């Protein structure tokens, strides 16, 4: 990966070892099929045969995966990255919209081929899934009330605060590790979170800095703000695939590298992140 974050990255990776809780027996229903000679075809072979790749995403996470205003069109930074990858691999792409908990399960049991939804690369997830090369780098921030920053200056101040999010995200686990009371939401849009911080149902929403900055900017009528000094958990995001799908990963990685080198990902980043280039690691002071 390019560059270095300021601060201790390894500590935060060890804090999120319980971030992905996949319970029950996950069956591989459709992850492979048998060729005429009785051997199992790889996911990549099946994708090529069908001429289509199926991708899971939420459709509710602005600006990485969302529906354009007054339109059913799915768009966003990662949606367009996936579309371009499929185009360069000469494949059609089909999106399946679902919440993050279902996304992880759908990849694991073969209902979808890949997933992208600002999914953080963590050691725990790398044990269960295959990740592409990263194309986005960021760090954690917090949406809080404007008047008093919800009484939060450092991560230690999360003790007893009500933190909203999906059950199995890295950010929810960070909140829990620092004593926050979790308030679980399903696949809801940003305005729901922000209004609940404003009205006191929540104290804080922990999430990606770039996503939070644009969400607050897009909803100026809601009296919340991105915390001005809280920066933690340097992270990178990538495409998620089923464990050991090395052939599929090789084709996707080669395409991502090409798109990084020719500036396509930078152009898409600047389009969706207000001019920011999220393909480069930000230079910020990280709280330890």
């Amino acid at each position: 990966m390019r560059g270095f974050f300021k601060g201790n990255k390894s500590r935060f990776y060890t804090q999120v070892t319980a971030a992905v809780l996949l319970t029950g027996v996950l069956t591989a229903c459709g992850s492979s099929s048998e060729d005429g000679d009785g051997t199992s075809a790889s996911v990549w072979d099946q994708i090529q045969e069908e001429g289509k790749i199926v991708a899971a995403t939420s459709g509710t996470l602005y600006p990485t995966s969302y529906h354009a205003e007054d339109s059913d069109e799915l768009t966003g930074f990662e949606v367009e990255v996936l579309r371009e990858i499929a185009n360069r691999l000469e494949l059609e792409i089909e999106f399946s919209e679902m919440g993050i908990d279902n996304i992880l399960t759908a990849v694991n049991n073969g209902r979808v081929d890949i997933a992208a939804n600002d999914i953080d690369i963590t050691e725990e997830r790398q044990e269960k899934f295959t990740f592409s090369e990263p194309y986005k780098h960021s760090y954690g921030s917090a949406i809080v009330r404007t008047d008093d920053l919800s009484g939060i200056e450092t991560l230690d101040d999360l003790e007893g605060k009500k933190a909203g999010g999906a059950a199995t995200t890295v950010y929810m686990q960070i909140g829990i590790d620092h004593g926050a009371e979790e308030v679980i939401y399903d696949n809801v849009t940003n305005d729901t979170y922000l209004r609940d911080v404003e009205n006191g149902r929540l104290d804080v929403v922990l999430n990606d800095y770039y996503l939070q900055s644009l969400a607050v900017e897009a909803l100026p009528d809601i009296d919340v703000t991105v915390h001005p000094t809280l920066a933690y958990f340097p992270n990178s995001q990538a495409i998620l695939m089923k464990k050991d799908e090395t052939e599929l990963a090789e084709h996707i990685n080669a395409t991502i590298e090409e798109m990084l080198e020719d500036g396509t990902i930078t152009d898409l980043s600047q389009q969706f992140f207000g001019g920011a280039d999220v393909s480069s690691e930000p230079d910020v002071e990280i709280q330890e």
Side-chain angles (χ1 to χ4, degrees), residues 190-200 219 221-222 224:
N190 288 326
D191 61 306
T192 300
Y193 287 114
L194 270 60
R195 290 195 187 282
D196 281 354
V197 172
E198 180 186 45
N199 65 33
L219 297 163
D221 59 313
I222 304 177
V224 296

Side-chain angles (χ1 to χ4, degrees), residues 123-178:
E123 291 178 356
E124 177 72 10
R125 285 175 176 163
Q126 286 177 312
E127 292 176 2
K128 301 175 185 293
F129 300 96
T130 293
F131 279 94
S132 72
E133 290 297 313
Y135 46 76
K136 176 175 175 284
H137 305 280
S138 188
Y139 57 95
S141 187
I143 288 177
V144 291
R145 287 183 288 278
T146 304
D147 57 352
D148 63 352
L149 302 183
S150 298
I152 297 169
E153 292 185 13
T154 70
L155 290 174
D156 291 337
D157 295 325
L158 294 174
E159 179 76 37
K161 297 292 193 298
K162 293 174 288 185
T168 59
T169 66
V170 168
Y171 292 101
M172 182 58 79
Q173 190 60 45
I174 290 173
I176 292 169
D177 289 345
H178 287 85

